[in-house]
Amino acid sequence: MSVSVKNLILFAVVFAMIPLIAQFQGWNAALFVLNMGLISAIMALGVNLQWGFAGLFNVGIMGFVALGGLAAVLVGMPVTPGAWQAGGFGIVASLFLGALTIGIAIIVAGRMAKGWTRSLVVFGILAVGFLVYRGLFDPSVEAVESIEPALTGYLGGLGLPVILAWPVGGLLAAGAAWIIGKTALGLRSDYLAIATLGIAEIIIAILKNEDWLSRGVKNVVGVPRPVPYEINLQNDPAFVERAAGFGVDAVTASTIYVKLLYCGLFAFVLVLLLWLAQQALNSPWGRMMRAIRDNEVAAEAMGKDVTARHLQVFILGSAICGIAGAMMTTLDGQLTPGTYQPLRFTFLVWVMVIVGGSGNNLGAVLGGLLIYLMWDQGETIGLQVMEWITAGMPDGSGVKAHLIESAAHMRLLTIGVLLLLVLRFSPRGLIPER
């Protein structure tokens, strides 16, 4: 069997599961799984650029995804009335003063000779700058967060078309990746993993606690969408008539129609990013990256700037994760910082890359689709299995109750078993690197 035929069969098997889910759970559930699978495939593609191309062990994926979600709020949400006048400009000014203080301290430290005098001067600059920063920042934040805190209590966004948030999410993640990469990419792989995980936790902690920016754990709801609202379609006589022609009620037809539109948008972005990743992989740059991944010492001996190339691919992969994060927040219609769990979902994205095939872009896409599908359906299938196992047990049995309550853990068991099977029978993934 040729490689292309095998790949086609693998994708056909995955996509065949969508109508199977629709058969038992309805098309709404099936299309939601497909949409989340497409977003997961984009995340896996970004991680594959970093790990598969360059061997960078990034465990801070959720931090970049969260920045993409923040972009959807900053771009798509309307400005909170009165927030900028109350304290928004003060917040911006205080952040600028904080950055300026750090910059001055760095310049002074670079120009003065080492010794106690330099240490005291730098400490004095930082101390004074910090006091001025807090003196302006704290009252400004308090003023913004006091504006109808039950509904807003934050600055809001720019009120632009939310689809612009997708590339902006990539830019935000890329900017953060540049800052992180300049400081952390010189670390050994295991230390790099620890550093990126810690930085992801910091990003998510900021989103959870800085209410003026993202409403924190109160969440931002009603994020605009690039597709119509279901209620508008249900009130459109032409749409209702078309739905009736297919024998479907307007409510069901509207939800399916909206999910299909999202599916088209997400598929377009995925195909575009996949094409760009393939072009990069087959270019001289891609061959250089793989050479660096396989032997950094030899690549350096050939005159390649390994650190600069690592920074490039780290930024590119993180930007793709940021785009995926903006897409996910747009699909959900809300930003919920409390749901970004770095350890849990970072593990899931890494499983997607490993199962699909590290170093192969098509493999990353396949892994993203397959693993999210299994993750989403694992609990449902597990509950059905447990109900079948316990069908003969009497009601009120402690064993029966325990087994049914344990069905929620079946998704973890399912993913673990699938990962073990792939590692045993196809150690390089379902679509291995060529």
Side-chain angles (χ1 to χ4, degrees):
M1 183 186 300
S2 68
V3 174
S4 57
V5 172
K6 175 195 168 186
N7 296 348
L8 187 62
I9 291 173
L10 288 171
F11 275 98
V13 169
V14 172
F15 281 109
M17 295 181 186
I18 300 301
L20 189 62
I21 295 172
Q23 180 70 26
F24 293 99
Q25 301 177 30
W27 276 105
N28 268 313
L31 289 174
F32 177 79
V33 172
L34 178 58
N35 282 324
M36 285 301 297
L38 292 170
I39 294 173
S40 299
I42 293 173
M43 290 186 199
L45 192 61
V47 174
N48 186 58
L49 280 179
Q50 296 172 340
W51 173 252
F53 280 35
L56 296 177
F57 192 26
N58 174 20
V59 195
I61 301 164
M62 282 300 108
F64 301 112
V65 172
L67 286 173
L70 177 63
V73 172
L74 298 181
V75 172
M77 292 299 289
V79 177
T80 299
W84 280 96
Q85 291 77 9
F89 294 110
I91 291 173
V92 173
S94 62
L95 292 174
F96 175 77
L97 284 174
L100 182 64
T101 299
I102 295 173
I104 292 173
I106 292 172
I107 293 172
V108 170
R111 293 188 176 182
M112 291 183 67
K114 290 183 179 180
W116 284 105
T117 303
R118 186 180 75 168
S119 300
L120 288 173
V121 171
V122 170
F123 176 78
I125 292 172
L126 292 175
V128 171
F130 178 76
L131 292 174
V132 174
Y133 160 75
R134 298 301 301 193
L136 181 58
F137 181 77
D138 291 344
S140 300
V141 166
E142 186 177 351
V144 170
E145 293 180 354
S146 65
I147 299 176
E148 296 189 55
L151 298 174
T152 53
Y154 77 122
L155 291 174
L158 299 175
L160 298 174
V162 74
I163 201 165
L164 297 176
W166 298 2
V168 171
L171 290 174
L172 274 181
W178 182 83
I179 296 171
I180 295 166
K182 293 294 284 187
T183 57
L185 283 180
L187 300 174
R188 207 173 63 193
S189 59
D190 46 353
Y191 293 120
L192 175 64
I194 295 169
T196 51
L197 176 60
I199 293 167
E201 290 283 6
I202 291 171
I203 292 172
I204 294 169
I206 290 173
L207 294 186
K208 286 181 179 178
N209 293 284
E210 300 299 327
D211 288 9
W212 62 270
L213 179 65
S214 61
R215 294 203 76 219
V217 295
K218 291 183 286 187
N219 304 335
V220 177
V221 297
V223 176
R225 50 167 62 172
V227 298
Y229 284 93
E230 290 85 351
I231 189 66
N232 294 334
L233 293 173
Q234 294 162 22
N235 292 329
D236 182 0
F239 180 84
V240 174
E241 184 179 349
R242 285 197 301 270
F246 287 101
V248 183
D249 64 277
V251 175
T252 303
S254 64
T255 55
I256 292 176
Y257 179 71
V258 167
K259 287 183 173 65
L260 283 172
L261 290 178
Y262 270 125
C263 182
L265 288 172
F266 295 162
F268 172 78
V269 175
L270 174 59
V271 170
L272 176 62
L273 292 174
L274 177 61
W275 179 78
L276 292 172
Q278 284 294 97
Q279 294 297 110
L281 179 66
N282 297 321
S283 69
W285 181 85
R287 292 190 288 272
M288 176 185 64
M289 291 308 307
R290 282 179 288 178
I292 292 174
R293 176 198 65 189
D294 295 337
N295 195 325
E296 289 187 16
V297 176
E300 281 186 314
M302 295 294 293
K304 304 303 180 184
D305 189 341
V306 172
T307 303
R309 300 292 81 77
H310 277 171
L311 182 61
Q312 280 182 350
V313 78
F314 187 71
I315 290 173
L316 289 173
S318 300
I320 292 175
C321 291
I323 293 171
M327 293 166 65
M328 186 164 62
T329 298
T330 305
L331 176 65
D332 292 340
Q334 58 183 348
L335 175 66
T336 53
T339 61
Y340 294 110
Q341 301 177 29
L343 280 176
R344 182 177 183 182
F345 293 112
T346 295
F347 162 78
L348 198 63
V349 176
W350 273 97
V351 171
M352 295 172 185
V353 175
I354 293 169
V355 168
S358 175
N360 191 306
N361 292 318
L362 276 177
V365 171
L366 176 69
L369 293 167
L370 174 62
I371 295 301
Y372 183 81
L373 191 150
M374 299 303 295
W375 173 262
D376 183 87
Q377 294 298 303
E379 184 174 348
T380 302
I381 297 172
L383 180 59
Q384 294 173 348
V385 170
M386 290 302 178
E387 288 177 347
W388 176 73
I389 292 174
T390 60
M393 297 182 182
D395 293 335
S397 168
V399 175
K400 181 177 182 177
H402 174 72
L403 289 175
I404 291 177
E405 289 173 0
S406 300
H409 302 293
M410 284 295 291
R411 53 172 40 173
L412 295 172
L413 178 63
T414 302
I415 297 299
V417 169
L418 180 60
L419 177 60
L420 289 174
L421 289 173
V422 171
L423 291 177
R424 170 62 182 83
F425 296 103
S426 184
R428 298 173 59 209
L430 296 175
I431 305 180
E433 181 182 7
R434 289 185 292 175

